[in-house]
Amino acid sequence: QVQLVESGGGLERPGGSLRLSCVASGSSLGIRAVGWYRQAPGKERELVVCITGGSIARYKDSVKGRFTASRDNAKNTVFLQMDRLKPEDTAVYLCNEVAGCLSSDPIPSGSWGKGTQVTVSS
């Protein structure tokens, strides 16, 4: 079973950028779809972007044009480039395998890791 570990979070000012990484171990990512999720304090976890094995990405409306997902299958890594960050992007960001990435109801299908904290504040 593939295990995913997130990194790259931190404290950034509004308008700044961060790049998150999601590295797979235990098994190859292959053509698995991977989603970046986030959970802010007191809020439910939400899917930010899902990227298929062929690098087709589907974004949450509020991050379109600011966030870019990509993947390097040879390195078993999925990235999330976050630009023009806003305070409302503050959350723990997690990655997970996703079933039905491009469907109307994508579902996380793997195990959850600890995530990486992103804080956007001046």
Side-chain angles (χ1 to χ4, degrees), residues 5-74:
V5 178
E6 308 89 347
S7 65
L11 173 63
E12 185 58 67
R13 295 182 183 277
S17 298
L18 284 172
R19 190 190 197 205
L20 307 184
S21 297
C22 171
V23 180
S25 63
S27 182
S28 173
L29 268 179
I31 60 171
R32 303 171 197 252
V34 174
W36 280 102
Y37 294 78
R38 68 185 180 188
Q39 187 164 19
K43 295 187 177 180
E44 291 191 357
R45 185 177 296 154
E46 61 180 5
L47 179 62
V48 175
V49 58
C50 181
I51 182 167
T52 68
S55 293
I56 298 173
R58 185 177 185 179
Y59 297 90
K60 179 179 175 62
D61 284 347
S62 62
V63 307
K64 284 181 181 177
R66 300 190 299 119
F67 290 10
T68 304
S70 61
R71 60 193 292 160
D72 184 336
N73 289 337

Side-chain angles (χ1 to χ4, degrees), residues 1 33 37 96-100 107-112:
Q1 183 176 1
Y37 294 78
N96 203 337
E97 297 177 66
V98 175
I107 298 173
S109 57
S111 300
W112 292 106

